Amino acid sequence: MGEVRSFFGEGRGGQQELDLEHLSSIVDVLNERFGTDLTDVDKLLFDQFEESWVADGELSDQAQSNSIENFRLVFERKFLQTIITRMDANSDIFKRILDDDDFRELLGDYYVKTVYEQLREAA
């Protein structure tokens, strides 16, 4: 398995390497290093990012045929592209929920039933 490094904060001097044990909880690392208050809900977003990268055929090809240093050059572009795309997509959905009464009502009706049933089953 290749070496895993954090590229958060590049260009800001020496950065502490991510420990492999912390890879399962990047939220903890970010909270500790940057003083944020991210939660497991935020981790779900990061997990979705990871899933999209792992499913990306181009990234898979690059990982198979390059060193991690060369792979990083391709990945950094995909990393930012994914985050910007997700931000734009989320902005659109939030706007739709807030501006479209029918959309919001249908979404709310679905989730009130789904959440209610899950909570009743859990009790």
Side-chain angles (χ1 to χ4, degrees):
M1 181 179 262
E3 179 180 321
V4 178
R5 295 183 192 168
S6 170
F7 57 87
F8 296 104
E10 279 191 27
R12 297 185 191 151
Q15 295 291 309
Q16 171 184 9
E17 302 258 340
L18 285 179
D19 296 331
L20 289 178
E21 65 191 64
H22 287 277
L23 288 178
S24 63
S25 187
I26 189 67
V27 166
D28 293 339
V29 174
L30 293 170
N31 284 340
E32 181 181 322
R33 187 175 297 174
F34 297 101
T36 56
D37 191 23
L38 300 172
T39 66
D40 287 342
V41 172
D42 300 304
K43 185 181 183 309
L44 292 175
L45 176 63
F46 299 144
D47 289 345
Q48 290 171 356
F49 290 160
E50 180 179 350
E51 288 173 15
S52 70
W53 296 320
V54 170
D56 186 295
E58 179 186 359
L59 285 178
S60 177
D61 292 345
Q62 292 295 324
Q64 297 303 317
S65 59
N66 286 292
S67 67
I68 193 165
E69 293 81 12
N70 289 338
F71 175 74
R72 180 182 302 276
L73 299 172
V74 175
F75 180 78
E76 286 178 350
R77 180 178 46 83
K78 288 281 188 168
F79 177 83
L80 289 176
Q81 183 181 47
T82 300
I83 291 170
I84 291 167
T85 300
R86 184 63 58 101
M87 183 179 70
D88 289 345
N90 284 341
S91 172
D92 290 344
I93 194 79
F94 289 135
K95 183 172 178 10
R96 182 80 186 258
I97 292 167
L98 294 173
D99 293 346
D100 186 330
D101 292 338
D102 292 333
F103 188 89
R104 180 176 56 251
E105 183 178 338
L106 181 64
L107 190 63
D109 286 348
Y110 171 80
Y111 279 109
V112 72
K113 292 174 189 170
T114 302
V115 171
Y116 178 79
E117 290 169 5
Q118 289 182 47
L119 293 173
R120 296 281 295 203
E121 289 174 9

